[in-house]
C-alpha cells in the first residue's frame, strides 16, 4: 500500500534524474518550456510504463503531456488525460474535508478521537484531530502490519481497517514527534464519515469534486469501468509484471483516490481561493506544525514542507501497487507540478522537482570537480548518525559511493563548495577537514550529523 512516508524521507530524498547546482535566472517561458521538453524526452521510455505531467505557472500551463505506455499488453500509448491511482495524494483531500467540517462548526482540531468515535478503544481516545493530520499521534502504520500486508486483495470495511491498529500500543507520546503513518488518515476517514453522516466517497464527491468540476476523479474500485484508466505495473524477478492486486477498500482516506493531471490542476488552483475552505483556516495546511517541545515538524495537513533553491515549497509523494506520483507547489511563484506514473518504481519525485526548478527560473547544472585520491581515502569509512543508523562511504577508483541503510549505493559528486551530492539527487553530504564527521542534508529536513566509526582492532 501507500509508501509515501518512507518515500519522502528516503526514496523521495535519495533519487533524482540529474544533479542540478547552478541557478540560471531571467528565463523566458519559451526557454523554460524547451528545457522541460528536453527533460521529459530524456525521462520517457517509449516502450515502458509511462507518466502524465502538467506544469503550471500562474495561469499558464507550461507543459502537459503523456509519455511512455498506458497499457503494455494492448500497446496503448500514454495520454495526458489518463486516470491514475494517486495513492497518498489522497491525504490532501482528506485534510481539506476535515477543515471543511471545522469551518462548518461540526468539528474542532482539538477534538479527541474518543469524543467523536464513542466506541474507540482507550489506547487512542485522547488523540486529537490535529495530531492525526500532522502524523504526530503515534499510531502504528497499518501498512506495515502483517495482517494488512497479507490480505491486500481482500475487501474490507472501514471499521475493519481501524480495528487493525486501534488497540495497539502507541509508538510514542502523542505530539512529541513526527512519524508518518497511514493509520492517521484512515482514522480521519472514520471521523469524516461520523461527523458528516456520509460515506467518505460521497462526501468528497459532493463537497470537493463536483464544486471544482473534477469530473475525472473519485474513490477508486477495480470493478469500476473507468475510461482511460492507466494500467499499473511493477518490477518482478524477471522484469515488468502487472501490479499486484490491492482492494481499494483498504487505503480509505489515506490513499484510495484516482485522478488526472488536469483535475489536480483544478484542485491546486482552488487552494488559492475560498472555494473549499477560507484561506486563514486552509493556510494551516501549509505550515510546519510544532511538537510539544516547540520543534517544528516537516508536515502540515496532508503536505510536506520543503524548499527548492531556497524557495519554500509544499510537496507530497504517493505510492501504491502499480502507481507512483509526486506533486510540488510553490505558492510564491504560483507554480504547480504534477507527475503521475503507472509504475511502482517510477522516480516521479526527481522529475517533478526538476520541472519545478525550471518553472521558477532556477534549473540546475552539474558543476562537479575532481578530488585527489588521498582526500577520497580520508573521507571513506562508516559514519553513525544520531539515530543509530550507520552510513557507509566507500572509495571506488577515483570516486566515492554512498550507501544508506536498506538503500542501493549511489555515487557522490564532489563540488567546489565542499558539498558531495548524491548522483541524480538534491541530497548532499559535507565532511569536516579530518574526515571524522559527516553532515547529511535532505530537502525539507534538519541537518543530520554522524561520526566516523573506528573499526575495532
Amino acid at each position: 500500500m501507500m509508501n509515501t512516508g518512507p518515500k519522502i524521507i528516503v526514496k523521495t530524498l535519495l533519487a533524482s534524474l540529474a544533479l542540478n547546482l547552478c541557478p540560471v535566472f531571467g528565463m523566458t517561458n519559451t526557454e523554460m518550456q524547451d528545457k522541460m521538453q528536453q527533460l521529459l524526452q530524456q525521462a520517457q521510455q517509449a516502450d515502458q510504463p509511462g507518466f502524465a505531467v502538467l506544469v503550471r505557472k500562474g495561469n499558464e500551463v507550461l507543459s502537459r503531456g503523456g509519455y511512455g505506455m498506458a497499457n503494455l499488453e494492448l500497446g496503448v500509448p500514454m495520454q495526458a488525460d489518463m486516470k491514475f491511482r494517486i495513492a497518498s495524494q489522497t491525504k490532501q483531500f482528506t485534510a481539506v474535508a476535515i477543515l471543511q467540517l471545522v469551518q462548518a462548526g461540526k468539528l474542532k482540531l482539538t477534538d479527541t478521537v474518543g469524543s467523536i468515535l464513542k466506541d474507540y478503544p482507550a489506547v487512542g481516545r485522547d488523540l486529537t484531530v490535529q495530531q492525526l493530520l500532522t502524523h504526530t499521534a503515534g499510531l502504528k502504520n497499518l501498512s506495515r502490519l502483517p495482517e494488512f500486508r497479507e490480505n491486500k486483495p481482500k475487501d474490507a470495511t472501514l471499521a475493519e481497517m481501524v480495528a487493525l491498529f486501534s488497540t495497539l500500543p502507541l509508538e510514542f507520546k502523542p505530539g512529541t514527534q513526527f512519524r508518518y503513518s497511514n493509520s492517521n488518515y484512515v482514522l480521519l476517514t472514520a471521523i469524516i464519515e461520523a461527523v458528516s453522516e456520509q460515506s467518505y466517497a460521497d462526501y468528497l464527491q459532493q463537497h470537493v469534486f463536483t464544486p471544482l468540476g473534477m469530473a475525472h476523479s473519485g474513490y477508486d474500485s477495480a470493478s469500476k469501468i473507468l475510461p482511460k484508466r492507466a494500467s499499473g505495473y511493477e518490477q518482478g524477478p524477471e522484469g515488468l509484471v502487472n501490479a499486484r492486486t490491492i482492494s481499494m477498500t483498504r487505503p480509505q482516506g489515506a490513499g484510495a483516490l484516482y485522478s488526472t493531471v488536469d483535475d489536480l490542476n483544478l484542485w491546486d488552483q482552488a487552494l488559492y481561493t475560498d472555494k473549499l475552505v477560507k484561506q486563514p483556516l486552509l493556510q494551516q495546511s501549509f505550515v510546519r506544525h510544532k511538537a510539544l517541545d516547540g520543534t517544528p515538524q516537516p508536515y502540515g495537513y496532508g503536505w510536506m514542507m520543503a524548499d527548492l533553491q531556497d524557495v519554500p515549497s509544499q510537496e507530497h509523494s504517493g505510492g501504491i501497487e502499480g502507481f507512483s506520483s509526486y506533486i510540488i507547489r510553490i505558492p510564491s511563484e504560483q507554480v504547480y507540478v504534477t507527475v503521475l506514473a503507472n509504475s511502482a518504481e517510477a522516480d516521479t519525485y526527481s522529475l517533478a522537482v526538476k520541472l519545478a526548478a525550471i518553472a521558477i527560473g532556477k534549473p540546475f547544472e552539474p558543476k562537479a570537480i575532481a578530488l585527489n585520491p588521498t582526500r577520497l581515502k580520508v573521507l571513506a569509512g562508516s559514519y553513525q548518525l544520531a539515530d543509530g543508523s550507520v552510513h557507509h562511504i566507500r572509495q571506488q577508483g577515483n570516486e566515492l559511493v554512498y550507501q544508506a541503510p536498506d538503500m542501493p549505493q549511489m555515487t557522490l559528486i564532489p563540488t567546489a563548495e565542499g558539498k558531495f551530492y548524491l548522483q541524480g539527487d538534491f541530497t548532499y553530504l559535507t565532511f569536516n577537514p579530518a574526515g571524522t564527521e559527516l553532515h547529511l542534508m535532505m530537502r525539507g529536513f534538519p541537518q543530520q550529523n554522524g561520526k566516523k566509526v573506528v573499526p575495532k582492532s
Side-chain angles (χ1 to χ4, degrees):
M1 185 177 152
M2 302 78 67
N3 52 4
T4 301
K7 271 191 174 182
I8 288 179
I9 297 172
V10 182
K11 180 180 177 182
T12 294
L13 296 169
L14 298 179
S16 198
L17 287 173
L19 179 65
N20 295 309
L21 303 176
C22 178
V24 179
F25 299 94
M27 297 177 64
T28 66
N29 282 3
T30 299
E31 290 171 330
M32 291 178 185
Q33 290 170 321
D34 289 344
K35 279 188 172 292
M36 289 177 188
Q37 192 58 32
Q38 182 180 9
L39 177 63
L40 291 164
Q41 291 298 330
Q42 291 172 349
Q44 78 161 338
Q45 293 180 277
D47 60 347
Q48 297 294 303
F51 55 88
V53 63
L54 187 144
V55 182
R56 191 197 78 247
K57 184 171 186 177
N59 294 321
E60 182 175 357
V61 174
L62 297 179
S63 183
R64 175 184 179 273
Y67 302 84
M69 301 297 291
N71 185 291
L72 297 177
E73 293 170 310
L74 299 177
V76 179
M78 187 67 72
Q79 298 177 28
D81 58 351
M82 292 289 190
K83 298 181 179 72
F84 297 77
R85 290 180 175 175
I86 61 171
S88 284
Q89 310 299 350
T90 300
K91 292 179 173 68
Q92 304 163 28
F93 295 87
T94 302
V96 162
I98 288 289
L99 293 181
Q100 287 180 328
L101 294 170
V102 170
Q103 183 171 273
K106 297 180 179 181
L107 191 64
K108 294 184 178 68
L109 293 171
T110 54
D111 284 347
T112 63
V113 172
S115 68
I116 304 164
L117 306 176
K118 303 301 183 182
D119 296 329
Y120 197 82
V123 67
R125 288 185 65 81
D126 293 333
L127 298 176
T128 68
V129 171
Q130 175 153 313
Q131 288 168 344
L132 299 176
L133 285 167
T134 57
H135 295 289
T136 58
L139 291 173
K140 289 185 181 294
N141 191 345
L142 85 164
S143 303
R144 297 179 177 274
L145 300 176
E147 299 92 331
F148 179 89
R149 299 174 73 89
E150 294 167 5
N151 293 288
K152 286 184 180 183
K154 298 180 181 178
D155 290 344
T157 65
L158 174 56
E160 288 171 336
M161 288 295 94
V162 172
L164 287 180
F165 59 82
S166 58
T167 60
L168 300 177
L170 298 179
E171 294 189 316
F172 53 85
K173 180 181 177 181
T176 60
Q177 61 178 283
F178 163 82
R179 188 173 302 172
Y180 192 94
S181 171
N182 289 302
S183 301
N184 294 309
Y185 278 72
V186 170
L187 191 49
L188 286 170
T189 309
I191 289 173
I192 290 168
E193 294 196 352
V195 173
S196 70
E197 298 183 335
Q198 289 182 278
S199 71
Y200 176 80
D202 287 346
Y203 182 90
L204 286 187
Q205 189 63 53
Q206 179 179 342
H207 296 278
V208 178
F209 299 142
T210 297
L212 297 186
M214 296 176 65
H216 307 291
S217 303
Y219 195 110
D220 197 20
S221 166
S223 62
K224 185 183 299 184
I225 302 299
L226 203 58
K228 291 204 166 183
R229 180 202 293 268
S231 300
Y233 300 95
E234 60 188 32
Q235 285 291 335
E238 299 179 3
L240 280 172
V241 297
N242 290 311
R244 289 165 292 181
T245 300
I246 177 171
S247 168
M248 299 307 285
T249 61
R250 291 181 168 266
Q252 297 288 330
L257 299 183
Y258 70 86
S259 192
T260 67
V261 295
D262 296 313
D263 271 14
L264 291 171
N265 184 39
L266 294 175
W267 161 253
D268 179 73
Q269 290 174 306
L271 298 182
Y272 290 99
T273 73
D274 292 337
K275 287 181 180 179
L276 298 175
V277 179
K278 292 188 182 302
Q279 284 297 307
L281 179 57
L282 181 60
Q283 287 305 311
Q284 294 186 41
S285 301
F286 306 119
V287 298
R288 295 175 182 267
H289 290 274
K290 294 180 180 179
L292 292 177
D293 65 0
T295 305
Q297 303 302 298
Y299 210 82
Y301 302 158
W303 290 94
M304 290 287 295
M305 304 305 116
D307 63 76
L308 182 60
Q309 285 290 75
D310 300 320
V311 181
S313 60
Q314 300 149 4
E315 312 178 16
H316 216 286
S317 65
I320 197 166
E321 280 74 1
F323 297 88
S324 60
S325 57
Y326 205 83
I327 289 176
I328 177 169
R329 65 194 310 265
I330 303 176
S332 64
E333 305 275 347
Q334 287 208 17
V335 163
Y336 185 67
V337 179
T338 305
V339 180
L340 307 179
N342 63 332
S343 167
E345 292 80 16
D347 185 10
T348 51
Y349 161 76
S350 307
L351 188 53
V353 175
K354 282 191 66 65
L355 289 167
I358 295 171
I360 62 173
K362 297 183 178 182
F364 299 112
E365 303 295 344
K367 292 290 182 181
I369 63 171
L371 284 186
N372 189 302
T374 302
R375 180 59 178 163
L376 301 181
K377 186 176 181 179
V378 169
L379 300 180
S382 299
Y383 296 79
Q384 186 171 30
L385 273 56
D387 62 5
S389 62
V390 177
H391 297 236
H392 304 285
I393 308 292
R394 301 184 180 93
Q395 182 178 2
Q396 292 187 356
N398 293 324
E399 294 181 331
L400 289 178
V401 296
Y402 166 77
Q403 186 164 25
D406 302 318
M407 293 293 292
Q409 69 178 25
M410 301 179 72
T411 301
L412 290 175
I413 308 297
T415 62
E417 67 268 32
K419 297 176 180 178
F420 288 75
Y421 284 80
L422 302 191
Q423 185 166 30
D425 202 319
F426 297 89
T427 299
Y428 67 84
L429 310 174
T430 60
F431 301 86
N432 68 336
T436 57
E437 296 179 3
L438 172 151
H439 311 288
L440 172 63
M441 288 298 302
M442 300 187 293
R443 293 180 60 247
F445 287 86
Q447 176 176 298
Q448 299 181 59
N449 302 315
K451 292 187 179 295
K452 184 172 284 186
V453 179
V454 179
K456 296 181 180 180
S457 56

